[in-house]
Amino acid sequence: MRVYKIDDYVLKYRIGHPFETEAVIRDGEEIEKNTMDYFKISQATKLRLIYKMNTDDIVLGLGENQRGINKRGGIYESYCTDDPNHTPDKKSLYGAHNFLIVDGAETFGVFIDYPGRVTFDVGFTHKDYLEIIVDDNNLDIYIINGNNLKEIVKSFLKLVGQCYVPPKWAFGYQQCRWSYEDAAEVENIADSFIKNDIPCDAIYLDIDYMEDFKDFTISHERFPNFKAFVEKMKKKGFRLIPIIDAGVKIEKGYDVYEEGVANDFFCVDQDGKPFVGAVWPGRVHFPDFLNPEARKWFGLKYKTLLDCGIEGFWNDMNEPAIFYTDRGLNKAIKKAKKSEDENLNIYSFFELKDTFIKISNNLEDYKSFYHKVKGELVNHDKVHNLYGYNMTRAAAEGFEEIKPNKRVLIFSRSSYIGMHRYSGIWTGDNHSWWDHILLNIKMMPSLNMCGFLYSGADTGGFNGDANAELVTRWTQFSIFTPLFRNHSAMGTRNQEPFAFDEESKEIMKRAIELRYAIIPYIYSEYMKAVINWEVYFAPLVFEYDDEMSRKTEDQLLVGDSIMISPIYQENVTGRYVWVPEDMLLWKVKKYSDREYEIVKKGHRYLNVEIKEIPVFIRKNKMLILGKHAKNVESIDNRQLDIIAFIEDKTSYIYYDDDGKTYDFKKGKYSEIAIEIEKADGEFKINIDNRGNEKVQRLNFDICPFAKALIRAIFLKEKEKLYEKEKQWNFNAYYIFT
Ligand code: GLC
């Protein structure tokens, strides 16, 4: 074991000769050290790290996974898996996010940088033991120290690099469905948004847009004159987002296939021939994304679509999903034939059934193909979790070459830490189940801790039929997730906001309008999180150290100013909420209506009618909002509203930038710093505009104000001031001249 000091907080323990995953972007100096902090380590065929947990320790992180924000009690396996049934017993979903934090008697983070299978037994086998098991003796382990959860996450995010930033329009509402068949249907969906006056920024093209499910092709029959169609839709206000799958169809004359074979860009089997698996188009080859040349080749293929005016993509089936291989299929068919005349009993029937079920995403298949890395063959199983990461990296690197310094929307289904620098993720094929709203709520902060800020679930649920109430409540949560996309599977009930009754449509419309109104806040908080190495979604324990906040699993902090308590149960009109300090509650039915109440610290039962979205503004914090429009680019935010809840003093930095380029990395962005202080019967307001040329006026709603406090004083020259007493909040405005 060699030990490297990355900085005062982070140590890297290198065991054997690990595969370079490129998850981490920092190096360190080798130091003298023979033991690992916190963990007992045992190295037999597998490597085991063992930590004895304290009764009160909580364990956070692990990104895309089942169960709670606190991962205790569960066993999780990092092995990216295409499994659409996210039942609570599942150990692996689509991503592999090997970072967790133990918080309690000792507080530290650990990142297992190993691209094959890793098991995290977080008090499952024995309630007091955290055991991490790796199938190999070649890996890097990072231990991250810090005084609190926020510091540890910050150190970790600095270690793995700055998170991806999508174009600003990608913070708008997005509509997807597998089975929008042709241009006419896509346009019809767009027209329904227009007719119903519901904001929307993007409509997705699922596999139906391709010719025989071949990547980088367009069905001319279903989408004649694609480029003109993309243009037409953009004029209407919608961007089209096509899907790209990992498998390349084997078909003579298909350029991607031909070029891949000619240049040895596909993964190979044990005989050195391109490996064959089957996905949507039938038999395919899988590009070897671990080979930089193959990555470059595939990345530049996106140009075909970018040249048609496309500005965003979703990368799918990149675990990679394998429906079957000839090996597995033949084995199953043989077995079935043999069973033909048998009287199948409990054992033989289930064995036969299992053989078929296990044809897909079979471990033997993953073990039977290879990548070429620096001239050497590497078995796929050992680097399995890097596949989706590198497919998506290929895309991002391609975009940078084709459209330098232009933000392109990209998110992936499969992922590994490190991919967050290139792309966002969505959490794959969930169900239209109430439990999956809750799972979505719990997963968001865990993903954020692992670096994936641009993320979201299929709102309304992908598989199964949704009813109006479920889609409504889910939409009311998703208005806070950076990626806000409604998606459903072919054959299920339609679930667009207008697919149900009039009343539900109106309620969802109001929720989506609220989303657009708070984009100034969402975008500002997202960007500050990216720049300052912070999370956008946090569990309460990140800010509050009381016992309840450590245990709360169904409320989240969104950015620095607000807390949310979504409804995730059917037929309820309220829920219990833990209010960790006095907060200002704004129950939003329509965002132009402003009625607030102060909710005292403690356990509260909150009535939440189907029309209502509770937003809690934290003490001494501000929420900033503008107006909705049909899409993000049409928003007119020359006036912004500020809702402030002040005990004594508060400050907020409102961030903005061009929303289109990466110039913010060179410091090209604007800030408006707002400070409000309550003193001597007055609110003293200080506004410092650092380069924002869009905002002309700020309107203030300041709560609470007592009779004695009747004036707002702006500390800068040139201000105009208006003051009005309205029940118990105070209005004032400030005009930039
Ligand atoms: C996969 C994706 C899903 C998509 C479907 C068809 O199941 O996860 O989002 O709609 O494939 O492409």
Side-chain angles (χ1 to χ4, degrees):
M1 181 167 82
R2 279 160 294 154
V3 184
Y4 300 81
K5 182 175 169 180
I6 308 284
D7 61 28
D8 287 348
Y9 299 101
V10 185
L11 289 184
K12 166 164 112 176
Y13 299 81
R14 171 156 283 199
I15 298 171
H17 300 281
F19 186 90
E20 291 294 343
T21 66
E22 296 180 54
V24 162
I25 57 160
R26 300 182 64 197
D27 252 339
E29 291 275 299
E30 190 162 357
I31 56 166
E32 276 298 313
K33 190 167 162 67
N34 302 318
T35 52
M36 183 175 287
D37 291 335
Y38 305 111
F39 289 98
K40 269 200 203 126
I41 182 163
S42 101
Q43 258 172 290
T45 43
K46 293 187 180 194
L47 178 125
R48 285 169 192 273
L49 300 180
I50 301 158
Y51 178 74
K52 170 111 178 11
M53 296 183 287
N54 233 268
T55 317
D56 295 329
D57 289 355
I58 55 173
V59 179
L60 307 176
L62 291 181
E64 187 174 301
N65 253 308
Q66 276 290 356
R67 296 179 174 251
I69 295 176
N70 181 356
K71 291 284 176 246
R72 264 189 100 144
I75 184 160
Y76 313 88
E77 261 174 27
S78 283
Y79 198 79
C80 299
T81 303
D82 168 33
D83 179 347
N85 288 309
H86 309 170
T87 46
D89 56 332
K90 292 295 163 64
K91 294 184 196 149
S92 310
L93 299 177
Y94 307 91
H97 306 145
N98 301 341
F99 171 62
L100 62 77
I101 312 173
V102 175
D103 180 50
E106 295 176 304
T107 297
F108 62 93
V110 55
F111 172 45
I112 308 294
D113 191 8
Y114 175 72
R117 187 182 302 270
V118 183
T119 305
F120 295 87
D121 184 340
V122 191
F124 175 80
T125 304
H126 187 297
K127 71 178 177 53
D128 294 332
Y129 284 91
L130 163 65
E131 205 172 328
I132 303 173
I133 304 142
V134 185
D135 282 11
D136 201 338
N137 275 307
N138 299 291
L139 72 158
D140 285 328
I141 300 163
Y142 294 84
I143 300 282
I144 298 127
N145 284 298
N147 294 320
N148 54 46
L149 290 164
K150 278 163 66 170
E151 271 186 28
I152 289 171
V153 167
K154 198 181 271 260
S155 281
F156 176 65
L157 296 179
K158 281 185 181 168
L159 183 69
V160 294
Q162 195 170 60
C163 172
Y164 162 76
V165 173
K168 195 173 189 181
W169 59 260
F171 287 83
Y173 176 78
Q174 312 187 38
Q175 185 63 53
C176 189
R177 178 170 170 83
W178 170 19
S179 72
Y180 292 153
E181 265 228 320
D182 52 19
E185 190 168 355
V186 170
E187 190 165 357
N188 186 32
I189 292 293
D191 290 343
S192 302
F193 277 95
I194 296 171
K195 190 176 94 218
N196 289 297
D197 201 16
I198 300 175
C200 179
D201 265 83
I203 300 181
Y204 280 67
L205 303 178
D206 207 315
I207 46 174
D208 318 280
Y209 82 91
M210 298 182 214
E211 189 69 60
D212 297 330
F213 310 119
K214 286 183 292 196
D215 279 339
F216 311 112
T217 67
I218 294 144
S219 159
H220 296 295
E221 196 185 312
R222 292 190 300 281
F223 290 85
N225 203 348
F226 186 68
K227 193 171 176 183
F229 182 61
V230 173
E231 186 58 35
K232 182 179 180 193
M233 294 296 290
K234 211 173 279 179
K235 281 207 179 105
K236 285 192 181 211
F238 302 87
R239 285 176 162 90
L240 299 182
I241 317 294
I243 195 169
I244 301 291
D245 286 327
V248 170
K249 183 171 190 205
I250 300 176
E251 186 183 280
K252 280 252 159 308
Y254 165 39
D255 59 342
V256 186
Y257 161 76
E258 295 286 1
E259 288 169 23
V261 172
N263 294 295
D264 281 339
F265 286 157
F266 293 126
C267 295
V268 293
D269 62 20
Q270 51 267 50
D271 303 324
K273 297 208 190 81
F275 171 76
V276 182
V279 208
W280 305 118
R283 290 183 174 80
V284 298
H285 293 322
F286 292 104
D288 184 355
F289 294 115
L290 299 189
N291 167 356
E293 280 175 49
R295 206 157 60 220
K296 181 161 182 164
W297 161 72
F298 197 85
L300 292 178
K301 289 280 162 212
Y302 287 78
K303 187 168 187 301
T304 321
L305 291 153
L306 290 167
D307 284 349
C308 293
I310 292 295
E311 295 173 64
F313 298 88
W314 47 316
N315 279 351
D316 192 22
M317 307 298 273
N318 51 6
E319 295 69 30
I322 305 178
F323 292 168
Y324 66 87
T325 58
D326 287 345
R327 183 201 59 78
L329 187 65
N330 292 338
K331 192 171 145 194
I333 291 174
K334 244 189 226 158
K335 197 169 189 117
K337 280 195 179 145
K338 233 176 97 195
S339 317
E340 217 171 9
D341 302 321
E342 256 178 63
N343 176 15
L344 295 176
N345 65 16
I346 175 171
Y347 304 107
S348 48
F349 170 72
F350 284 104
E351 205 189 306
L352 178 64
K353 192 174 164 190
D354 255 25
T355 314
F356 277 90
I357 289 171
K358 286 185 186 151
I359 285 183
S360 299
N361 308 317
N362 186 287
L363 189 58
E364 266 188 68
D365 289 335
Y366 288 131
K367 285 185 170 168
S368 73
F369 69 95
Y370 298 84
H371 300 267
K372 262 182 237 145
V373 183
K374 294 181 188 148
E376 285 192 20
L377 286 183
V378 179
N379 189 268
H380 174 78
D381 176 55
K382 294 275 179 201
V383 289
H384 175 72
N385 294 334
L386 295 180
Y387 195 76
Y389 164 10
N390 281 284
M391 174 189 181
T392 305
R393 178 176 173 183
E397 288 172 345
F399 303 155
E400 192 45 41
E401 194 162 331
I402 303 161
K403 303 253 172 205
N405 198 28
K406 181 177 155 89
R407 295 189 210 168
V408 176
L409 170 62
I410 175 80
F411 56 89
S412 167
R413 193 170 72 176
S414 183
S415 57
Y416 182 82
I417 287 172
M419 196 196 81
H420 69 287
R421 300 193 297 269
Y422 300 98
S423 146
I425 58 167
W426 97 101
T427 57
D429 299 348
N430 55 11
H431 273 74
S432 297
W433 294 338
W434 287 89
D435 285 356
H436 279 182
I437 305 185
L438 183 58
L439 184 61
N440 187 187
I441 296 168
K442 293 175 179 184
M443 224 187 260
M444 286 299 114
S446 316
L447 282 170
N448 276 219
M449 287 174 225
C450 295
F452 293 93
L453 300 191
Y454 190 75
S455 52
D458 286 349
T459 298
F462 176 74
N463 288 301
D465 293 335
N467 67 14
E469 188 183 349
L470 177 124
V471 183
T472 306
R473 291 299 199 191
W474 207 325
T475 302
Q476 291 169 336
F477 168 62
S478 294
I479 64 163
F480 299 102
T481 62
L483 168 61
F484 177 20
R485 185 182 75 148
N486 174 319
H487 181 34
S488 56
M490 180 167 66
T492 61
R493 184 180 183 187
N494 271 69
Q495 61 184 41
E496 297 82 9
F498 39 76
F500 304 94
D501 56 284
E502 275 300 302
E503 191 187 341
S504 305
K505 183 182 81 190
E506 276 309 300
I507 297 173
M508 282 191 252
K509 177 177 158 168
R510 297 276 180 240
I512 296 170
E513 286 174 356
L514 172 62
R515 160 59 170 234
Y516 279 76
I518 57 172
I519 281 179
Y521 175 75
I522 289 178
Y523 189 69
S524 177
E525 292 304 294
Y526 183 93
M527 291 304 299
K528 284 187 290 178
V530 169
I531 291 168
N532 302 325
W533 318 100
E534 283 163 358
V535 292
Y536 164 88
F537 274 122
L540 301 195
V541 61
F542 269 47
E543 291 293 336
Y544 303 99
D545 58 8
D546 61 90
E547 206 36 44
M548 265 316 293
S549 293
R550 287 177 72 74
K551 301 267 161 70
T552 301
E553 290 273 340
D554 58 356
Q555 297 168 215
L556 297 177
L557 300 170
V558 184
D560 190 46
S561 305
I562 62 174
M563 178 183 86
I564 57 168
S565 59
I567 296 284
Y568 52 86
Q569 281 183 301
E570 193 158 26
N571 296 322
V572 302
T573 47
R575 53 163 288 176
Y576 284 96
V577 178
W578 168 244
V579 185
E581 64 179 337
D582 294 358
M583 289 189 183
L584 186 72
L585 171 61
W586 179 31
K587 271 196 212 168
V588 191
K589 287 192 194 123
K590 200 173 159 203
Y591 74 86
S592 52
D593 294 345
R594 305 286 160 82
E595 272 178 36
Y596 318 109
E597 68 185 278
I598 290 175
V599 183
K600 290 271 169 210
K601 174 177 174 172
H603 293 278
R604 305 278 159 231
Y605 185 83
L606 195 70
N607 287 314
V608 187
E609 299 295 333
I610 186 80
K611 286 187 177 66
E612 295 176 324
I613 304 173
V615 177
F616 292 87
I617 296 149
R618 296 173 57 205
K619 193 196 285 180
N620 287 331
K621 302 282 177 191
M622 294 179 224
L623 172 63
I624 190 147
L625 69 159
K627 296 207 171 34
H628 76 278
K630 65 173 190 166
N631 63 18
V632 171
E633 274 168 7
S634 320
I635 296 176
D636 173 6
N637 276 339
R638 279 173 295 179
Q639 282 197 41
L640 292 176
D641 294 354
I642 289 153
I643 305 171
F645 178 43
I646 300 177
E647 190 177 64
D648 41 46
K649 194 175 173 178
T650 167
S651 62
Y652 186 78
I653 302 230
Y654 169 61
Y655 170 102
D656 201 8
D657 60 22
D658 66 17
K660 293 177 181 155
T661 70
Y662 294 106
D663 285 353
F664 69 87
K665 294 193 181 186
K666 295 181 228 139
K668 283 196 187 159
Y669 53 81
S670 67
E671 289 178 338
I672 302 178
I674 305 159
E675 267 174 33
I676 310 177
E677 193 172 0
K678 193 171 166 183
D680 307 327
E682 289 168 347
F683 293 113
K684 294 212 169 100
I685 305 176
N686 198 357
I687 293 160
D688 182 10
N689 188 346
R690 304 170 195 150
N692 187 311
E693 286 166 9
K694 287 187 226 157
V695 179
Q696 297 177 358
R697 172 176 161 146
L698 297 175
N699 300 313
F700 289 86
D701 254 6
I702 306 173
C703 304
F705 98 94
K707 275 276 165 262
L709 294 162
I710 50 160
R711 274 161 56 79
I713 303 293
F714 290 92
L715 298 180
K716 287 260 167 129
E717 291 297 306
K718 294 184 286 186
E719 78 277 7
K720 293 209 177 118
L721 162 69
Y722 173 73
E723 51 189 75
K724 194 172 103 196
E725 192 176 326
K726 184 184 158 205
Q727 288 169 20
W728 58 277
N729 61 301
F730 186 88
N731 303 152
Y733 70 77
Y734 178 89
I735 294 182
F736 292 99
T737 49

